[in-house]
Amino acid sequence: MTSHTPQGPVDASQTPRYAGIATFAKLPRIEDVPSADIAVVGVPFDSGVSFRPGARFGPSHVREASRLLRPYNPAQDVSPFNVKQVVDAGDIVANPFSLDEAVRQVEEAATELGERVDKIVTIGGDHTIALPLLRAINKKHGPVAVLHFDAHLDTWDTYFGAPTTHGTPFRRASEEGLIDLTASMHGGTRGPLYGKSDLEDDVKLGFQIVTSEFVEEHGIPAALEKIRERVGDKPLYISIDIDVLDPAHAPGTGTPEAGGLTSREMLRLIRGLADLQIVGADVVEVAPAYDHAQITAVAASHVVYELVSAMAARD
């Protein structure tokens, strides 16, 4: 908890939103405040992708779209930047030529940042970064419940013999004991798989699933009931691949799948989990080269905002 009065975003009535450095939501940089509670940090890295590249430009793209965010969140009835000192911690450097070295760098930097702030929301970057982020969070909280919103399971074993990619982080995390196997879940999954064994393996790795089809058929309240029953009061890490949204709501991503959630549904899901013990989060796979009119970046910036609001409101 910071001992000083939180410093909020740049006043948009005094400085145009489109002027100045694009920190997330026009918040102060971590260097500009004596201490902080919540940090938004970028990881511009996409060397783990299996299809379309470009998520390395995601953090800057989301920051640009976040210029329009305002300090009061009426949906959660909280002014997160008044309740907590929220900062932009810049970007974590990740070696684009060595995946293994990049993973080590992300883990080390996230661990160090986690010693300076209570909670971190990370903007990717591809989903490979979830593995080192979970390693870092494990040092503070032990095995955590993981709520993974994604079109895909991301519990495959290898791609081209490589064990660490954007399609494998949650298998590795499960094998390493980073995940609470009794409380973890995927949300919004859909689309073709390599085989039925993918689902069978996923259960063994500690996950249950609320599919996109379930949300369509039963609605957000029923999905929230299943998620909350599964997670309980466990320390919760939320990992959101923006491709959980339908391509109509998030075209700017590397592995789009038809039939996804709407941005409104995604925001409602986060708000419905705001009272849980969220200890960290990431929003990944925004690839601006495939975006149009910042549709994907606007959605991602609001997802980050709702996560920060939830973290601030609970405490």
Side-chain angles (χ1 to χ4, degrees):
M1 176 69 70
T2 57
S3 57
H4 65 280
T5 300
Q7 179 181 334
V10 172
D11 187 346
S13 68
Q14 301 296 319
T15 303
R17 298 181 187 281
Y18 48 80
I21 298 172
T23 59
F24 183 81
K26 302 289 283 183
L27 285 162
R29 299 178 306 165
I30 194 169
E31 297 89 352
D32 296 333
V33 296
S35 61
D37 301 301
I38 301 170
V40 178
V41 67
V43 182
F45 171 83
D46 65 1
S47 298
V49 299
S50 59
F51 195 49
R52 303 192 304 199
R56 65 182 60 184
F57 301 109
S60 60
H61 192 53
V62 174
R63 286 187 176 104
E64 279 293 333
S66 76
R67 288 176 179 269
L68 194 57
L69 293 170
R70 300 176 181 88
Y72 173 62
N73 185 337
Q76 295 196 43
D77 189 23
V78 64
S79 296
F81 311 138
N82 290 342
V83 176
K84 297 291 184 180
Q85 180 61 73
V86 188
V87 296
D88 190 317
D91 286 341
I92 293 172
V93 174
N95 189 332
F97 301 110
S98 171
L99 198 150
D100 290 340
E101 175 63 17
V103 166
R104 286 193 294 271
Q105 289 173 314
V106 174
E107 179 183 352
E108 291 170 2
T111 300
E112 181 181 352
L113 182 58
E115 294 171 352
R116 300 176 62 187
V117 302
D118 294 332
K119 297 176 182 178
I120 303 169
V121 181
T122 306
I123 305 172
D126 77 56
H127 223 151
T128 307
I129 68 172
L131 177 58
L133 292 173
L134 283 169
R135 288 172 176 167
I137 205 79
N138 188 262
K139 296 170 186 176
K140 289 183 72 171
H141 299 283
V144 293
V146 170
L147 178 54
H148 168 223
F149 289 103
D150 198 323
H152 313 96
L153 299 173
D154 287 1
T155 52
W156 287 288
D157 192 8
T158 63
Y159 279 101
F160 297 92
T164 307
T165 75
H166 76 157
T168 66
F170 299 105
R171 178 182 284 262
R172 301 287 90 83
S174 178
E175 291 170 346
E176 292 179 19
L178 308 178
I179 290 175
D180 187 328
L181 304 183
T182 70
S184 295
M185 199 163 210
H186 305 293
T189 56
R190 62 189 186 278
L193 300 170
Y194 294 107
K196 191 172 183 179
S197 60
D198 293 343
L199 295 173
E200 295 166 350
D201 287 350
D202 195 68
V203 172
K204 296 174 184 176
L205 292 165
F207 288 93
Q208 291 184 4
I209 302 175
V210 173
T211 64
S212 180
E213 290 83 3
F214 181 92
V215 175
E216 179 187 7
E217 293 173 11
H218 301 283
I220 295 295
L224 284 170
E225 183 178 356
K226 286 178 69 73
I227 292 169
R228 294 174 65 89
E229 181 180 356
R230 174 72 170 168
V231 173
D233 61 354
K234 305 290 182 64
L236 174 64
Y237 186 90
I238 300 179
S239 184
I240 302 176
D241 186 325
I242 205 65
D243 72 20
V244 72
L245 303 183
D246 189 88
H249 297 265
T253 191
T255 48
E257 302 279 358
L261 303 179
T262 67
S263 55
R264 180 171 58 243
E265 289 170 336
M266 186 70 251
L267 298 178
R268 284 188 61 196
L269 284 165
I270 297 171
R271 293 165 187 158
L273 303 168
D275 62 327
L276 300 185
Q277 191 184 166
I278 303 171
V279 296
D282 63 61
V283 180
V284 300
E285 299 283 355
V286 174
Y290 314 104
D291 207 5
H292 308 284
Q294 293 186 320
I295 292 172
T296 312
V298 168
S301 69
H302 280 263
V303 167
V304 173
Y305 179 67
E306 292 297 336
L307 288 165
V308 170
S309 296
M311 291 175 176
R314 189 182 192 278
D315 293 341

